[in-house]
Amino acid sequence: MQTVSKSKTPRWALRDVLLLAFVAVFIGFIFWVLGPIYNLLSAALTPLGLAPFANELLIGGWMMAAPLASILIRQAGAGLLGEFFAAAVEMLLGGQWGVATLLSGLVQGIGSEAGFAILGYKHWGWRGIFASAITGTLVTFVWSALRDGYASYHIGMLIALFITRFVSILFFGGVLVVAIQKLIEKSGVLHHG
Amino acid sequence: MNPLIKFITVMVIALELTFIKSVTVNLVVIGVSALLYLFLHLHWKQWLWLILLPLLPGLGSWFSLMYFGTGNHVHMAWVMLTRVFAYLWLGGLFTLKLTEEREVFLATLEQKAKLSSTFVYALVGVLNFMPAVNQQIKTIRIASQMRGQTLHIWQAQLYFKAILSAIRWSQNLAEGMVSHGFTEGAPRTYLNVITINKRDWVLLAIILIAFQLLLFPNWY
C-alpha cells in the first residue's frame, strides 16, 4: 500500500513525482503498441481523405495518463504534469514526433487538468473524470483547429471529427478511468492520507 | 550549441509555425533544416526516416483538406503538407542528436533552468527503467494469457495491473534514491558544471529575429 502525500502546498514529494512518472510511462508503453496500428489505419484512410479520423479514434488513449495521474495523486497540476512527463519521456526516447510531442502533451495536459480545476479540485470521482474528458476534448480540438488545419474543413466533417474525438476521450479518459479507479479502490492499494 | 538553447529555438519556431499559414515559410524552415543536416553528416537511414515519416500524416491531411475542405482549402492543404515536414525536420535537429546530448540537456535543465532536482532525477530514473517497463507489460499480458484471459487495450484490468507495478516500482526507486543519499530540496554540488556560451545566446537571438523578419512579407 502506498500513501500519497497530502500537502496543500504545491511542493512535490519525490515518491509522488516518481509514481506520476511511472504511471505516465506505463500508459505510454501500452499505447506505444498502437503506433503501427495508427500508421496502418491512417494509411488506409488517406486516399479516402479520412486520415484525421485515425488520430481522432486513438487520441483518448494518448491522453489517458492525465486523468489517471489526477485520480492517483489528487493534487492540482497532477494531470498536467503526468501528461507532460509522458510526452517528455517519449521525446527523450526519440519518438517519431519529437519536439511536437511535448507541445501536444502540454495542450492535452492542460485540457484534462481543466476539468478537475473547474470543479475546484474537489471531485476526484466520476464527476471530475468526465469533466476532464469534456474539457480535454474542447481544448485539444481548438489546438487541432490551429495546428492541423481543422478550421478549413466543411462543418459536417468538423462535427464528425469532433464527435469521434469526444467518444474516444469519453471512453479512454472517462469510462475506462472510472473502471480503473473502482478496481484500485476495491484493492485498497492507495491511501490518501 | 547547448541542447537547451537549441531546444528553446526549435520550440519557439515550432509554436509559431502552428499559427502561420504559409507554404513559403514552411519551405524555408525545411530548406534551412536540410542545410544543417548536411553539416551534421546523417546516416542514410536517418535521411530515409526524415523523408518517409512526415509523408503519411502530411498526405493524410492533404487528401482530407482537398476532399472535405471549405474556403481557401487548397492553399491550406499545401500548408498542412509542408507544415508536417517543417515540424518534423525542425524537431529532428533537436531529437536526432539527443542520444549523445541527453545528459547535457537534463543537466542544463537542472543547473541553468533551475528545474527542481526531484523532477530531473525522477526523469533520469524513469528513463533508465524503460526496457523494464516494456518487459513488465509483456509479462502482465502473458501471465493473464496463461490463465486463459487475454487483456485487451480497452480493459481496465490491464491498466490496473500496470498501475500496481508503477506503484511498487516508484516506491522502490524512491527508497533506493534516498538510501543512495538523494535528499529532496537539499543544495547539490555538480560533477559536471554546465556553462552556456555567450555565442549560443547570440545565435538564439539571431535565429529568432531572422525568423520574425521572414514573417513580414505576405507569402503564399
Side-chain angles (χ1 to χ4, degrees):
Chain A
M1 186 168 95
Q2 170 148 350
T3 305
V4 175
S5 52
K6 200 174 196 173
S7 58
K8 287 278 174 252
T9 51
R11 254 189 62 83
W12 288 85
L14 175 66
R15 47 173 53 210
D16 291 351
V17 175
L18 284 173
L19 176 60
L20 198 81
F22 269 113
V23 168
V25 169
F26 266 99
I27 302 300
F29 253 104
I30 291 176
F31 277 93
W32 187 53
V33 284
L34 276 187
I37 301 174
Y38 164 75
N39 285 338
L40 270 177
L41 193 64
S42 70
L45 291 172
T46 290
L48 301 171
L50 296 175
F53 281 101
N55 181 45
E56 301 302 313
L57 274 172
L58 298 178
I59 190 166
W62 287 315
M63 279 182 70
M64 245 178 110
L68 273 179
S70 289
I71 62 159
L72 287 173
I73 314 280
R74 296 196 179 181
Q75 197 173 317
L80 175 59
L81 215 56
E83 193 63 44
F84 196 62
F85 246 112
V89 169
E90 196 185 327
M91 182 192 77
L92 290 174
L93 286 174
Q96 66 172 354
W97 286 98
V99 181
T101 315
L102 214 54
L103 278 175
S104 326
L106 200 61
V107 172
Q108 292 168 358
I110 291 170
S112 171
E113 180 77 37
F116 292 102
I118 286 171
L119 296 179
Y121 294 114
K122 286 194 189 90
H123 301 278
W124 301 104
W126 63 270
R127 242 173 262 173
I129 295 169
F130 282 116
S132 101
I134 293 168
T135 53
T137 310
L138 291 174
V139 171
T140 56
F141 207 75
V142 171
W143 176 246
S144 287
L146 293 167
R147 196 195 64 182
D148 305 328
Y150 279 17
S152 301
Y153 284 126
H154 275 303
I155 190 75
M157 175 81 167
L158 214 53
I159 291 171
L161 285 170
F162 184 83
I163 291 174
T164 317
R165 176 172 302 202
F166 190 47
V167 167
S168 167
I169 294 181
L170 210 56
F171 175 72
F172 283 109
V175 177
L176 206 51
V177 173
V178 170
I180 295 166
Q181 193 179 36
K182 280 215 179 98
L183 284 175
I184 291 172
E185 268 166 21
K186 249 199 313 197
S187 67
V189 282
L190 266 190
H191 176 247
H192 292 274
Chain B
M1 201 169 179
N2 180 285
L4 182 65
I5 302 286
K6 199 154 73 177
F7 175 75
I8 295 171
T9 320
V10 168
M11 278 296 258
V12 170
I13 295 180
L15 195 63
E16 286 189 68
L17 281 181
T18 306
F19 299 96
I20 298 162
K21 293 176 192 163
S22 162
V23 177
T24 320
V25 172
N26 289 343
L27 286 177
V28 170
V29 171
I30 296 167
V32 173
S33 308
L35 208 64
L36 288 171
Y37 284 131
L38 285 179
F39 287 110
L40 289 177
H41 296 292
L42 294 189
H43 194 253
W44 66 268
K45 273 186 193 152
Q46 288 176 311
W47 277 109
L48 198 68
W49 185 87
L50 274 173
I51 291 166
L52 288 182
L53 198 63
L55 211 53
L56 186 60
L59 283 178
S61 296
W62 189 83
F63 272 102
S64 335
L65 279 162
M66 283 302 210
Y67 287 171
F68 302 106
T70 173
N72 200 0
H73 67 275
V74 178
H75 173 241
M76 200 57 203
W78 288 107
V79 169
M80 277 312 302
L81 183 61
T82 50
R83 185 186 285 175
V84 171
F85 269 90
Y87 246 20
L88 290 189
W89 283 45
L90 182 70
L93 287 174
F94 176 72
T95 35
L96 283 182
K97 285 280 147 192
L98 201 60
T99 18
E100 299 125 64
E101 290 180 341
R102 189 192 293 153
E103 269 153 44
V104 185
F105 179 63
L106 289 167
T108 316
L109 275 181
E110 184 190 4
Q111 294 175 30
K112 292 291 168 191
K114 302 287 174 217
L115 188 71
S116 145
S117 53
T118 308
F119 285 101
V120 174
Y121 288 99
L123 207 53
V124 172
V126 168
L127 278 173
N128 285 323
F129 265 94
M130 295 314 286
V133 171
N134 192 9
Q135 189 54 46
Q136 179 68 8
I137 288 170
K138 280 187 195 144
T139 309
I140 290 172
R141 294 191 116 148
I142 291 170
S144 78
Q145 255 165 2
M146 287 200 288
R147 271 176 263 121
Q149 196 189 14
T150 309
L151 286 182
H152 293 287
I153 206 149
W154 53 83
Q155 278 172 329
Q157 277 285 340
L158 174 64
Y159 300 94
F160 174 63
K161 287 181 176 171
I163 287 171
L164 288 189
S165 303
I167 290 173
R168 198 173 64 241
W169 290 12
S170 65
Q171 236 169 348
N172 288 350
L173 184 57
E175 273 162 30
M177 281 167 76
V178 171
S179 64
H180 275 265
F182 181 84
T183 316
E184 287 173 64
R188 299 179 65 88
T189 54
Y190 306 107
L191 186 60
N192 291 319
V193 179
I194 303 286
T195 46
I196 299 179
N197 289 334
K198 227 184 214 123
R199 207 195 53 168
D200 284 3
W201 287 109
V202 174
L203 220 53
L204 168 82
I206 292 175
I207 294 171
L208 289 183
I209 290 170
F211 184 71
Q212 309 313 318
L213 290 177
L214 181 69
L215 303 181
F216 273 113
N218 219 347
W219 304 104
Y220 174 72

